[in-house]
Amino acid sequence: MSIDYKSFSLFEVFFAFSLNFICFNTLSSSVTMADEVILLDFWASLFGMRVRIALAEKGIKYECKEELWNKSSLKSPLLLEMNPIHKKIPVLIHNGKPVCESLIIVQYIDEVWKDKSPLLPSHPYQRAHARFWADFVDNKIYYLSRKVLTTKGEELEAGKKEFIETFKIMEGELGDKPYYGGETFGFVDLSLIPFYSWFIVYEIFGNINIEAECPKIIAWAKRCLQKETVAKSLPDQKKVYEFVGQSRKRDGLE
């Protein structure tokens, strides 16, 4: 089909060409601005799980590139380029630009893709409160979980006691709420739930009964796992147990 522009006024011809130009540029912009999202990760990483959950909550498609676990001599050139300071996973690469550290990555994801499933509260005080507890998870629970897995004797017994006491503090913060974020799954939930996939490891190697000691934490974790975005982002507990068992043997802890 062709149009005879001779039958139109100069203004109408100019308007038609302008409209076509605008439509073409809008289409071109939508193509060129398509997000490229790459995640450098390791399947058993507690911190990588956080990022996976955040991306799933937002419905973001991404490419996952697996890195080797704690093999400093075998880190990929891409990881060394994108995180030259810490040289650790996870790293989110968004349109060629890296974002490092799991909680920082999750906050970045929440700010960039803010139209769906907000992870942090909108109120400044509530945001600060959520960040406090996420930081508590990193600085207390992660440290103590490592202590349970890497120590023996009296040091292990002391670590186990503090480990349970810390989870009881988390139970107190949860209270009667379904999630730490209140009625909806949020930033603190996302920060803590990856540890559930490692509970079997802490129980077997640390000789701890987490469900008996902290039943509200287990009930909360099972509630989180009812969310598809969480369930599909966490690895199978038995697979984690086998992986950690092999690592402990390699490190002479068995």
Side-chain angles (χ1 to χ4, degrees):
M1 178 180 176
S2 61
I3 299 175
D4 182 9
Y5 286 103
K6 294 179 181 179
S7 60
F8 292 91
S9 68
L10 182 61
F11 173 78
E12 290 170 323
V13 171
F14 176 79
F15 179 78
F17 275 114
S18 298
L19 184 60
N20 286 334
F21 179 80
I22 292 170
C23 291
F24 174 80
N25 276 276
T26 302
L27 179 60
S28 298
S29 297
S30 65
V31 173
T32 56
M33 292 180 66
D35 287 310
E36 180 189 50
V37 181
I38 298 171
L39 176 62
L40 306 185
D41 193 11
F42 180 73
W43 66 269
S45 168
L46 293 160
F47 305 107
M49 293 176 212
R50 292 171 170 175
V51 181
R52 281 175 250 157
I53 294 170
L55 290 168
E57 282 285 300
K58 299 290 185 177
I60 305 302
K61 293 182 180 180
Y62 65 97
E63 177 185 358
C64 184
K65 294 188 176 183
E66 285 272 315
E67 294 285 334
L68 294 174
W69 180 264
N70 287 338
K71 295 286 186 179
S72 57
S73 61
L74 297 175
K75 294 183 187 294
S76 74
L78 182 60
L79 175 59
L80 297 176
E81 177 188 354
M82 293 293 156
N83 191 0
I85 305 301
H86 297 301
K87 303 177 178 64
K88 293 180 179 179
I89 56 154
V91 179
L92 185 80
I93 307 173
H94 183 206
N95 294 333
K97 296 180 179 179
V99 184
C100 306
E101 299 296 310
S102 64
L103 293 181
I104 294 174
I105 295 172
V106 170
Q107 292 176 74
Y108 175 84
I109 290 170
D110 199 39
E111 291 176 8
V112 172
W113 292 282
K114 57 187 175 183
D115 295 333
K116 181 180 179 182
S117 301
L119 299 171
L120 278 156
S122 58
H123 192 279
Y125 176 77
Q126 292 174 342
R127 276 203 307 275
H129 188 78
R131 286 171 176 146
F132 170 86
W133 285 105
D135 184 73
F136 181 84
V137 171
D138 270 6
N139 289 303
K140 288 291 287 185
I141 292 180
Y142 177 66
Y143 165 74
L144 291 170
S145 68
R146 285 184 57 83
K147 196 171 183 179
V148 167
L149 294 179
T150 59
T151 60
K152 296 179 180 180
E154 293 182 2
E155 189 177 2
L156 171 59
E157 292 305 312
K160 287 163 55 176
K161 181 180 178 181
E162 195 173 357
F163 179 86
I164 292 300
E165 288 174 351
T166 303
F167 268 103
K168 288 186 180 295
I169 291 173
M170 293 303 299
E171 282 191 319
E173 170 58 20
L174 180 64
D176 296 325
K177 304 187 298 291
Y179 300 104
Y180 285 96
E183 294 300 317
T184 57
F185 181 87
F187 189 61
V188 181
D189 304 285
L190 181 149
S191 302
L192 182 60
I193 191 58
F195 287 86
Y196 180 76
S197 62
W198 282 63
F199 273 11
I200 187 174
V201 174
Y202 308 139
E203 290 186 325
I204 293 175
F205 294 116
N207 192 26
I208 302 172
N209 189 333
I210 298 176
E211 185 165 14
E213 296 283 356
C214 304
K216 288 179 70 173
I217 288 291
I218 298 299
W220 160 83
K222 291 179 179 179
R223 192 176 305 118
C224 291
L225 284 168
Q226 291 175 3
K227 292 177 62 66
E228 185 178 3
T229 53
V230 175
K232 288 189 174 182
S233 299
L234 301 187
D236 180 73
Q237 285 190 335
K238 291 182 179 178
K239 186 180 177 183
V240 173
Y241 168 71
E242 292 171 357
F243 164 72
V244 174
Q246 293 171 358
S247 298
R248 284 170 60 86
K249 287 180 181 178
R250 185 190 64 231
D251 297 338
L253 292 170
E254 287 292 298

